Amino acid sequence: MDILIVEPIEDDIVRWLEARHTVRYEPEMARDPRAFRQALYNVRSLILPPSLSLDAQTLHSAPVLRAVGRVSAGAENIDVDACAKAGVEVVRSSIATAQAEAEFVIGAMLSLLRRVPVQGSDGMRVGRELGGAQVGLIGMTPAARALNRLLVSFGARVLGYDPSLHANDGVWERWNVRPLGLRELLETADVVSVQLAYFSRYHGLLGERFLPFCKIDQVIVSISHSALFDEMALSKVMQSHRVAAVWLDSMEPGLLDEGRPLADISSLQVTPRVASTTRESRLRSAWSVAQRLDELLSLSSVPSFEAHRPTSASANSAISGTASAVFMGLSALPEMTEIDDTPQAAAMFDENGTMLQGDAYLDADDAAVNELKLAYGNAGHGAATAAPPAPREFKLTAEVPSLGFKTSAEAQSLGFKPSAEVLEADFASGPVLP
């Protein structure tokens, strides 16, 4: 199967993908994690909803997965490191939600500035205007660029900080944003918008080291992961009224539970990640993800593993008649070397059992690839009028690598596992152990 879609998306996008690939559209599977894992054994790409996680354990159930797409905002339910190790590309649109997020932040700023009054020079407690305010942007993301344009139209002066950008980077001048250090920005800005992409190294970045220096009566709006904030430090500056109000559009579960530092703080506004979710942004994001998945699947219509090439012609692994591809054991991957894209550890045999070498080997290998293409069908743009045939048998086995050596011990010395330790994945019935 080329694509498993578990996130609800537009019918037009589903039909567009079905014209090019084999697609299974199952939004209801989002409520059944077990069924989801069982369905992954022959899935090459996936569109994942926020309610399901894709971690290292789940990836073991997806031996041929090559890409996972997210239409909704955020990727906290995807183990990006595990995907990188497994060779799975995480597909998200970097700009599809930028306008929606920028508009949300502007609305949140206007709401907090008016709804949470501060004391004026005449002693009256009144709201404030966004025009003329100094606004600090933490994280120069696509949303920050759209937000900057809107702020300028209000007459606000825009400051910026991004830990990945040097003060001399050309982006500051192009966006007409004044770069500052994080502490200086917090000391200067009347309003702060946080849209910094979250990585573990940024955990608690906005904590005791910086938050106590916030400008008096500052307003903070964040559409980033709440783990960027140290909850105890944030609670202190809010209870002391140094920070007048905070709006968090993404919050870790349990952060407002009884006994937690942020519980029962009236000036804290929380929304369940709605900044990026509009009708228009979802449509843009879904098309962006669908087009990228189509590109990745069109690169190769043959299910493959990194550094693997198909082999042929043993009694148990002949492609002719069974259309089955036999690959070397997964444990061989780190040990393999290639010459002219041909793994040296691979072995092929003719009908008489003679091992093929040189040009004969390459010819047989090319023939095997062609047979695989016929068996699995081309899933590229050229197959727009007909769905590719259902895939037939596909196995992982350690038998073929050992045939290239005089003894099984020689094969194991290069890192191949014995047959009993190798997982067989049959595309007809799912993963089974020998």
Side-chain angles (χ1 to χ4, degrees), residues 156-186:
R157 297 186 297 276
V158 184
L159 318 171
Y161 167 78
D162 193 302
S164 64
L165 291 177
H166 191 273
N168 295 328
D169 196 293
V171 71
W172 304 111
E173 183 177 355
R174 291 196 301 272
W175 292 14
N176 195 26
V177 174
R178 179 187 171 196
L180 293 177
L182 182 53
R183 174 172 169 174
E184 188 178 1
L185 182 145
L186 292 174

PDB file of all heavy atoms in Angstrom, residues 156-186:
ATOM      1  N   ALA A 156       3.294  49.352  14.972  1.00  0.00           N
ATOM      2  CA  ALA A 156       4.140  48.848  16.055  1.00  0.00           C
ATOM      3  C   ALA A 156       5.605  48.821  15.623  1.00  0.00           C
ATOM      4  O   ALA A 156       5.919  48.701  14.439  1.00  0.00           O
ATOM      5  CB  ALA A 156       3.682  47.443  16.457  1.00  0.00           C
ATOM      6  N   ARG A 157       6.501  48.916  16.573  1.00  0.00           N
ATOM      7  CA  ARG A 157       7.939  48.787  16.341  1.00  0.00           C
ATOM      8  C   ARG A 157       8.336  47.352  16.697  1.00  0.00           C
ATOM      9  O   ARG A 157       8.076  46.896  17.822  1.00  0.00           O
ATOM     10  CB  ARG A 157       8.718  49.800  17.175  1.00  0.00           C
ATOM     11  CG  ARG A 157       8.388  51.243  16.805  1.00  0.00           C
ATOM     12  CD  ARG A 157       9.278  52.232  17.558  1.00  0.00           C
ATOM     13  NE  ARG A 157       9.077  52.166  18.995  1.00  0.00           N
ATOM     14  CZ  ARG A 157       8.112  52.818  19.649  1.00  0.00           C
ATOM     15  NH1 ARG A 157       7.240  53.558  18.976  1.00  0.00           N
ATOM     16  NH2 ARG A 157       8.005  52.739  20.954  1.00  0.00           N
ATOM     17  N   VAL A 158       8.996  46.675  15.766  1.00  0.00           N
ATOM     18  CA  VAL A 158       9.215  45.237  15.909  1.00  0.00           C
ATOM     19  C   VAL A 158      10.669  44.937  16.272  1.00  0.00           C
ATOM     20  O   VAL A 158      11.605  45.400  15.607  1.00  0.00           O
ATOM     21  CB  VAL A 158       8.826  44.491  14.614  1.00  0.00           C
ATOM     22  CG1 VAL A 158       8.975  42.987  14.815  1.00  0.00           C
ATOM     23  CG2 VAL A 158       7.391  44.830  14.214  1.00  0.00           C
ATOM     24  N   LEU A 159      10.850  44.138  17.319  1.00  0.00           N
ATOM     25  CA  LEU A 159      12.147  43.641  17.775  1.00  0.00           C
ATOM     26  C   LEU A 159      12.168  42.131  17.564  1.00  0.00           C
ATOM     27  O   LEU A 159      11.111  41.496  17.465  1.00  0.00           O
ATOM     28  CB  LEU A 159      12.356  43.968  19.257  1.00  0.00           C
ATOM     29  CG  LEU A 159      11.926  45.365  19.734  1.00  0.00           C
ATOM     30  CD1 LEU A 159      11.980  45.452  21.251  1.00  0.00           C
ATOM     31  CD2 LEU A 159      12.797  46.424  19.087  1.00  0.00           C
ATOM     32  N   GLY A 160      13.348  41.538  17.512  1.00  0.00           N
ATOM     33  CA  GLY A 160      13.401  40.100  17.264  1.00  0.00           C
ATOM     34  C   GLY A 160      14.565  39.405  17.929  1.00  0.00           C
ATOM     35  O   GLY A 160      15.621  40.007  18.174  1.00  0.00           O
ATOM     36  N   TYR A 161      14.339  38.118  18.228  1.00  0.00           N
ATOM     37  CA  TYR A 161      15.400  37.247  18.759  1.00  0.00           C
ATOM     38  C   TYR A 161      15.183  35.848  18.223  1.00  0.00           C
ATOM     39  O   TYR A 161      14.051  35.334  18.197  1.00  0.00           O
ATOM     40  CB  TYR A 161      15.378  37.208  20.292  1.00  0.00           C
ATOM     41  CG  TYR A 161      16.229  36.093  20.863  1.00  0.00           C
ATOM     42  CD1 TYR A 161      17.624  36.209  20.926  1.00  0.00           C
ATOM     43  CD2 TYR A 161      15.644  34.901  21.306  1.00  0.00           C
ATOM     44  CE1 TYR A 161      18.398  35.175  21.424  1.00  0.00           C
ATOM     45  CE2 TYR A 161      16.418  33.867  21.812  1.00  0.00           C
ATOM     46  CZ  TYR A 161      17.793  34.002  21.865  1.00  0.00           C
ATOM     47  OH  TYR A 161      18.571  32.975  22.346  1.00  0.00           O
ATOM     48  N   ASP A 162      16.264  35.239  17.780  1.00  0.00           N
ATOM     49  CA  ASP A 162      16.239  33.840  17.368  1.00  0.00           C
ATOM     50  C   ASP A 162      17.595  33.230  17.689  1.00  0.00           C
ATOM     51  O   ASP A 162      18.623  33.730  17.230  1.00  0.00           O
ATOM     52  CB  ASP A 162      15.949  33.708  15.869  1.00  0.00           C
ATOM     53  CG  ASP A 162      15.610  32.284  15.467  1.00  0.00           C
ATOM     54  OD1 ASP A 162      16.461  31.394  15.707  1.00  0.00           O
ATOM     55  OD2 ASP A 162      14.521  32.045  14.918  1.00  0.00           O
ATOM     56  N   PRO A 163      17.626  32.165  18.496  1.00  0.00           N
ATOM     57  CA  PRO A 163      18.918  31.580  18.906  1.00  0.00           C
ATOM     58  C   PRO A 163      19.721  31.003  17.750  1.00  0.00           C
ATOM     59  O   PRO A 163      20.922  30.773  17.894  1.00  0.00           O
ATOM     60  CB  PRO A 163      18.518  30.482  19.895  1.00  0.00           C
ATOM     61  CG  PRO A 163      17.090  30.172  19.580  1.00  0.00           C
ATOM     62  CD  PRO A 163      16.485  31.460  19.102  1.00  0.00           C
ATOM     63  N   SER A 164      19.084  30.785  16.603  1.00  0.00           N
ATOM     64  CA  SER A 164      19.793  30.208  15.463  1.00  0.00           C
ATOM     65  C   SER A 164      20.270  31.257  14.470  1.00  0.00           C
ATOM     66  O   SER A 164      20.896  30.914  13.468  1.00  0.00           O
ATOM     67  CB  SER A 164      18.891  29.204  14.737  1.00  0.00           C
ATOM     68  OG  SER A 164      17.766  29.857  14.175  1.00  0.00           O
ATOM     69  N   LEU A 165      19.996  32.531  14.736  1.00  0.00           N
ATOM     70  CA  LEU A 165      20.384  33.595  13.811  1.00  0.00           C
ATOM     71  C   LEU A 165      21.363  34.558  14.470  1.00  0.00           C
ATOM     72  O   LEU A 165      21.133  35.022  15.583  1.00  0.00           O
ATOM     73  CB  LEU A 165      19.146  34.381  13.345  1.00  0.00           C
ATOM     74  CG  LEU A 165      18.158  33.661  12.430  1.00  0.00           C
ATOM     75  CD1 LEU A 165      16.975  34.570  12.130  1.00  0.00           C
ATOM     76  CD2 LEU A 165      18.829  33.231  11.140  1.00  0.00           C
ATOM     77  N   HIS A 166      22.444  34.864  13.762  1.00  0.00           N
ATOM     78  CA  HIS A 166      23.406  35.852  14.240  1.00  0.00           C
ATOM     79  C   HIS A 166      22.818  37.254  14.047  1.00  0.00           C
ATOM     80  O   HIS A 166      21.987  37.483  13.154  1.00  0.00           O
ATOM     81  CB  HIS A 166      24.727  35.710  13.464  1.00  0.00           C
ATOM     82  CG  HIS A 166      25.856  36.494  14.058  1.00  0.00           C
ATOM     83  ND1 HIS A 166      26.087  37.816  13.738  1.00  0.00           N
ATOM     84  CD2 HIS A 166      26.814  36.143  14.956  1.00  0.00           C
ATOM     85  CE1 HIS A 166      27.143  38.239  14.413  1.00  0.00           C
ATOM     86  NE2 HIS A 166      27.598  37.243  15.154  1.00  0.00           N
ATOM     87  N   ALA A 167      23.267  38.187  14.863  1.00  0.00           N
ATOM     88  CA  ALA A 167      22.763  39.556  14.769  1.00  0.00           C
ATOM     89  C   ALA A 167      23.075  40.192  13.426  1.00  0.00           C
ATOM     90  O   ALA A 167      22.383  41.139  13.007  1.00  0.00           O
ATOM     91  CB  ALA A 167      23.340  40.401  15.901  1.00  0.00           C
ATOM     92  N   ASN A 168      24.106  39.680  12.726  1.00  0.00           N
ATOM     93  CA  ASN A 168      24.470  40.229  11.420  1.00  0.00           C
ATOM     94  C   ASN A 168      23.809  39.502  10.253  1.00  0.00           C
ATOM     95  O   ASN A 168      24.103  39.798   9.097  1.00  0.00           O
ATOM     96  CB  ASN A 168      25.995  40.188  11.241  1.00  0.00           C
ATOM     97  CG  ASN A 168      26.712  41.097  12.219  1.00  0.00           C
ATOM     98  OD1 ASN A 168      26.178  42.139  12.610  1.00  0.00           O
ATOM     99  ND2 ASN A 168      27.908  40.708  12.639  1.00  0.00           N
ATOM    100  N   ASP A 169      22.956  38.541  10.554  1.00  0.00           N
ATOM    101  CA  ASP A 169      22.282  37.802   9.484  1.00  0.00           C
ATOM    102  C   ASP A 169      21.415  38.744   8.657  1.00  0.00           C
ATOM    103  O   ASP A 169      20.759  39.649   9.194  1.00  0.00           O
ATOM    104  CB  ASP A 169      21.422  36.684  10.086  1.00  0.00           C
ATOM    105  CG  ASP A 169      21.013  35.654   9.056  1.00  0.00           C
ATOM    106  OD1 ASP A 169      20.227  36.007   8.155  1.00  0.00           O
ATOM    107  OD2 ASP A 169      21.478  34.505   9.140  1.00  0.00           O
ATOM    108  N   GLY A 170      21.389  38.521   7.359  1.00  0.00           N
ATOM    109  CA  GLY A 170      20.653  39.393   6.470  1.00  0.00           C
ATOM    110  C   GLY A 170      19.156  39.382   6.664  1.00  0.00           C
ATOM    111  O   GLY A 170      18.462  40.295   6.198  1.00  0.00           O
ATOM    112  N   VAL A 171      18.612  38.368   7.336  1.00  0.00           N
ATOM    113  CA  VAL A 171      17.163  38.272   7.501  1.00  0.00           C
ATOM    114  C   VAL A 171      16.615  39.451   8.296  1.00  0.00           C
ATOM    115  O   VAL A 171      15.500  39.924   8.055  1.00  0.00           O
ATOM    116  CB  VAL A 171      16.775  36.929   8.160  1.00  0.00           C
ATOM    117  CG1 VAL A 171      17.184  36.893   9.623  1.00  0.00           C
ATOM    118  CG2 VAL A 171      15.276  36.688   8.038  1.00  0.00           C
ATOM    119  N   TRP A 172      17.389  39.968   9.245  1.00  0.00           N
ATOM    120  CA  TRP A 172      16.916  41.084  10.062  1.00  0.00           C
ATOM    121  C   TRP A 172      16.664  42.320   9.201  1.00  0.00           C
ATOM    122  O   TRP A 172      15.645  42.999   9.350  1.00  0.00           O
ATOM    123  CB  TRP A 172      17.927  41.399  11.165  1.00  0.00           C
ATOM    124  CG  TRP A 172      18.255  40.248  12.046  1.00  0.00           C
ATOM    125  CD1 TRP A 172      19.438  39.578  12.125  1.00  0.00           C
ATOM    126  CD2 TRP A 172      17.386  39.607  12.994  1.00  0.00           C
ATOM    127  NE1 TRP A 172      19.373  38.563  13.048  1.00  0.00           N
ATOM    128  CE2 TRP A 172      18.125  38.562  13.597  1.00  0.00           C
ATOM    129  CE3 TRP A 172      16.064  39.818  13.390  1.00  0.00           C
ATOM    130  CZ2 TRP A 172      17.593  37.741  14.565  1.00  0.00           C
ATOM    131  CZ3 TRP A 172      15.531  38.994  14.361  1.00  0.00           C
ATOM    132  CH2 TRP A 172      16.273  37.966  14.940  1.00  0.00           C
ATOM    133  N   GLU A 173      17.600  42.585   8.317  1.00  0.00           N
ATOM    134  CA  GLU A 173      17.451  43.752   7.449  1.00  0.00           C
ATOM    135  C   GLU A 173      16.327  43.544   6.446  1.00  0.00           C
ATOM    136  O   GLU A 173      15.545  44.464   6.173  1.00  0.00           O
ATOM    137  CB  GLU A 173      18.772  44.040   6.732  1.00  0.00           C
ATOM    138  CG  GLU A 173      18.740  45.285   5.860  1.00  0.00           C
ATOM    139  CD  GLU A 173      20.087  45.584   5.225  1.00  0.00           C
ATOM    140  OE1 GLU A 173      21.071  44.870   5.537  1.00  0.00           O
ATOM    141  OE2 GLU A 173      20.150  46.516   4.412  1.00  0.00           O
ATOM    142  N   ARG A 174      16.234  42.331   5.886  1.00  0.00           N
ATOM    143  CA  ARG A 174      15.182  42.070   4.903  1.00  0.00           C
ATOM    144  C   ARG A 174      13.799  42.200   5.524  1.00  0.00           C
ATOM    145  O   ARG A 174      12.861  42.672   4.885  1.00  0.00           O
ATOM    146  CB  ARG A 174      15.363  40.676   4.287  1.00  0.00           C
ATOM    147  CG  ARG A 174      16.578  40.540   3.390  1.00  0.00           C
ATOM    148  CD  ARG A 174      16.475  39.287   2.540  1.00  0.00           C
ATOM    149  NE  ARG A 174      16.356  38.073   3.329  1.00  0.00           N
ATOM    150  CZ  ARG A 174      17.398  37.373   3.772  1.00  0.00           C
ATOM    151  NH1 ARG A 174      18.633  37.800   3.529  1.00  0.00           N
ATOM    152  NH2 ARG A 174      17.207  36.270   4.471  1.00  0.00           N
ATOM    153  N   TRP A 175      13.664  41.739   6.755  1.00  0.00           N
ATOM    154  CA  TRP A 175      12.358  41.801   7.420  1.00  0.00           C
ATOM    155  C   TRP A 175      12.148  43.124   8.153  1.00  0.00           C
ATOM    156  O   TRP A 175      11.076  43.349   8.704  1.00  0.00           O
ATOM    157  CB  TRP A 175      12.215  40.641   8.409  1.00  0.00           C
ATOM    158  CG  TRP A 175      12.124  39.299   7.771  1.00  0.00           C
ATOM    159  CD1 TRP A 175      12.412  38.968   6.479  1.00  0.00           C
ATOM    160  CD2 TRP A 175      11.719  38.085   8.409  1.00  0.00           C
ATOM    161  NE1 TRP A 175      12.219  37.629   6.269  1.00  0.00           N
ATOM    162  CE2 TRP A 175      11.798  37.057   7.443  1.00  0.00           C
ATOM    163  CE3 TRP A 175      11.313  37.767   9.697  1.00  0.00           C
ATOM    164  CZ2 TRP A 175      11.469  35.740   7.731  1.00  0.00           C
ATOM    165  CZ3 TRP A 175      10.993  36.453   9.987  1.00  0.00           C
ATOM    166  CH2 TRP A 175      11.060  35.447   9.010  1.00  0.00           C
ATOM    167  N   ASN A 176      13.166  43.962   8.195  1.00  0.00           N
ATOM    168  CA  ASN A 176      13.093  45.248   8.893  1.00  0.00           C
ATOM    169  C   ASN A 176      12.760  45.051  10.374  1.00  0.00           C
ATOM    170  O   ASN A 176      11.890  45.725  10.948  1.00  0.00           O
ATOM    171  CB  ASN A 176      12.062  46.167   8.232  1.00  0.00           C
ATOM    172  CG  ASN A 176      12.210  47.616   8.675  1.00  0.00           C
ATOM    173  OD1 ASN A 176      13.310  48.046   9.064  1.00  0.00           O
ATOM    174  ND2 ASN A 176      11.127  48.368   8.631  1.00  0.00           N
ATOM    175  N   VAL A 177      13.472  44.095  10.992  1.00  0.00           N
ATOM    176  CA  VAL A 177      13.301  43.789  12.411  1.00  0.00           C
ATOM    177  C   VAL A 177      14.621  44.083  13.129  1.00  0.00           C
ATOM    178  O   VAL A 177      15.694  43.731  12.640  1.00  0.00           O
ATOM    179  CB  VAL A 177      12.907  42.310  12.613  1.00  0.00           C
ATOM    180  CG1 VAL A 177      12.868  41.952  14.094  1.00  0.00           C
ATOM    181  CG2 VAL A 177      11.566  42.019  11.960  1.00  0.00           C
ATOM    182  N   ARG A 178      14.535  44.720  14.278  1.00  0.00           N
ATOM    183  CA  ARG A 178      15.734  45.050  15.054  1.00  0.00           C
ATOM    184  C   ARG A 178      16.136  43.857  15.913  1.00  0.00           C
ATOM    185  O   ARG A 178      15.371  43.432  16.781  1.00  0.00           O
ATOM    186  CB  ARG A 178      15.458  46.262  15.944  1.00  0.00           C
ATOM    187  CG  ARG A 178      16.650  46.678  16.811  1.00  0.00           C
ATOM    188  CD  ARG A 178      16.225  47.768  17.777  1.00  0.00           C
ATOM    189  NE  ARG A 178      17.270  48.045  18.751  1.00  0.00           N
ATOM    190  CZ  ARG A 178      17.073  48.709  19.885  1.00  0.00           C
ATOM    191  NH1 ARG A 178      15.857  49.175  20.166  1.00  0.00           N
ATOM    192  NH2 ARG A 178      18.068  48.913  20.718  1.00  0.00           N
ATOM    193  N   PRO A 179      17.345  43.273  15.707  1.00  0.00           N
ATOM    194  CA  PRO A 179      17.759  42.113  16.496  1.00  0.00           C
ATOM    195  C   PRO A 179      18.250  42.519  17.886  1.00  0.00           C
ATOM    196  O   PRO A 179      18.986  43.503  18.037  1.00  0.00           O
ATOM    197  CB  PRO A 179      18.898  41.516  15.668  1.00  0.00           C
ATOM    198  CG  PRO A 179      19.477  42.670  14.935  1.00  0.00           C
ATOM    199  CD  PRO A 179      18.336  43.606  14.654  1.00  0.00           C
ATOM    200  N   LEU A 180      17.831  41.761  18.882  1.00  0.00           N
ATOM    201  CA  LEU A 180      18.259  41.981  20.262  1.00  0.00           C
ATOM    202  C   LEU A 180      18.548  40.647  20.918  1.00  0.00           C
ATOM    203  O   LEU A 180      18.065  39.595  20.468  1.00  0.00           O
ATOM    204  CB  LEU A 180      17.165  42.699  21.062  1.00  0.00           C
ATOM    205  CG  LEU A 180      16.819  44.153  20.690  1.00  0.00           C
ATOM    206  CD1 LEU A 180      15.667  44.634  21.549  1.00  0.00           C
ATOM    207  CD2 LEU A 180      18.016  45.058  20.847  1.00  0.00           C
ATOM    208  N   GLY A 181      19.326  40.658  21.997  1.00  0.00           N
ATOM    209  CA  GLY A 181      19.472  39.477  22.831  1.00  0.00           C
ATOM    210  C   GLY A 181      18.174  39.207  23.566  1.00  0.00           C
ATOM    211  O   GLY A 181      17.308  40.095  23.690  1.00  0.00           O
ATOM    212  N   LEU A 182      18.010  38.001  24.064  1.00  0.00           N
ATOM    213  CA  LEU A 182      16.734  37.618  24.677  1.00  0.00           C
ATOM    214  C   LEU A 182      16.422  38.467  25.903  1.00  0.00           C
ATOM    215  O   LEU A 182      15.292  38.955  26.065  1.00  0.00           O
ATOM    216  CB  LEU A 182      16.765  36.135  25.052  1.00  0.00           C
ATOM    217  CG  LEU A 182      15.484  35.562  25.660  1.00  0.00           C
ATOM    218  CD1 LEU A 182      14.270  35.851  24.779  1.00  0.00           C
ATOM    219  CD2 LEU A 182      15.617  34.073  25.918  1.00  0.00           C
ATOM    220  N   ARG A 183      17.408  38.673  26.761  1.00  0.00           N
ATOM    221  CA  ARG A 183      17.146  39.477  27.966  1.00  0.00           C
ATOM    222  C   ARG A 183      16.789  40.907  27.581  1.00  0.00           C
ATOM    223  O   ARG A 183      15.837  41.487  28.135  1.00  0.00           O
ATOM    224  CB  ARG A 183      18.360  39.450  28.882  1.00  0.00           C
ATOM    225  CG  ARG A 183      18.212  40.371  30.088  1.00  0.00           C
ATOM    226  CD  ARG A 183      19.323  40.208  31.085  1.00  0.00           C
ATOM    227  NE  ARG A 183      19.296  41.262  32.091  1.00  0.00           N
ATOM    228  CZ  ARG A 183      20.089  41.308  33.153  1.00  0.00           C
ATOM    229  NH1 ARG A 183      20.988  40.349  33.350  1.00  0.00           N
ATOM    230  NH2 ARG A 183      20.006  42.300  34.028  1.00  0.00           N
ATOM    231  N   GLU A 184      17.526  41.500  26.655  1.00  0.00           N
ATOM    232  CA  GLU A 184      17.261  42.872  26.245  1.00  0.00           C
ATOM    233  C   GLU A 184      15.882  43.002  25.607  1.00  0.00           C
ATOM    234  O   GLU A 184      15.181  44.004  25.814  1.00  0.00           O
ATOM    235  CB  GLU A 184      18.345  43.347  25.283  1.00  0.00           C
ATOM    236  CG  GLU A 184      18.262  44.823  24.939  1.00  0.00           C
ATOM    237  CD  GLU A 184      19.366  45.279  24.016  1.00  0.00           C
ATOM    238  OE1 GLU A 184      20.207  44.428  23.622  1.00  0.00           O
ATOM    239  OE2 GLU A 184      19.389  46.480  23.675  1.00  0.00           O
ATOM    240  N   LEU A 185      15.486  42.000  24.830  1.00  0.00           N
ATOM    241  CA  LEU A 185      14.157  42.032  24.211  1.00  0.00           C
ATOM    242  C   LEU A 185      13.069  42.026  25.276  1.00  0.00           C
ATOM    243  O   LEU A 185      12.102  42.796  25.199  1.00  0.00           O
ATOM    244  CB  LEU A 185      13.996  40.849  23.258  1.00  0.00           C
ATOM    245  CG  LEU A 185      12.668  40.751  22.489  1.00  0.00           C
ATOM    246  CD1 LEU A 185      12.906  40.179  21.093  1.00  0.00           C
ATOM    247  CD2 LEU A 185      11.651  39.871  23.228  1.00  0.00           C
ATOM    248  N   LEU A 186      13.216  41.156  26.292  1.00  0.00           N
ATOM    249  CA  LEU A 186      12.206  41.074  27.345  1.00  0.00           C
ATOM    250  C   LEU A 186      12.171  42.346  28.181  1.00  0.00           C
ATOM    251  O   LEU A 186      11.111  42.741  28.686  1.00  0.00           O
ATOM    252  CB  LEU A 186      12.475  39.862  28.228  1.00  0.00           C
ATOM    253  CG  LEU A 186      12.281  38.489  27.561  1.00  0.00           C
ATOM    254  CD1 LEU A 186      12.722  37.371  28.487  1.00  0.00           C
ATOM    255  CD2 LEU A 186      10.835  38.287  27.135  1.00  0.00           C
TER     256      LEU A 186
END
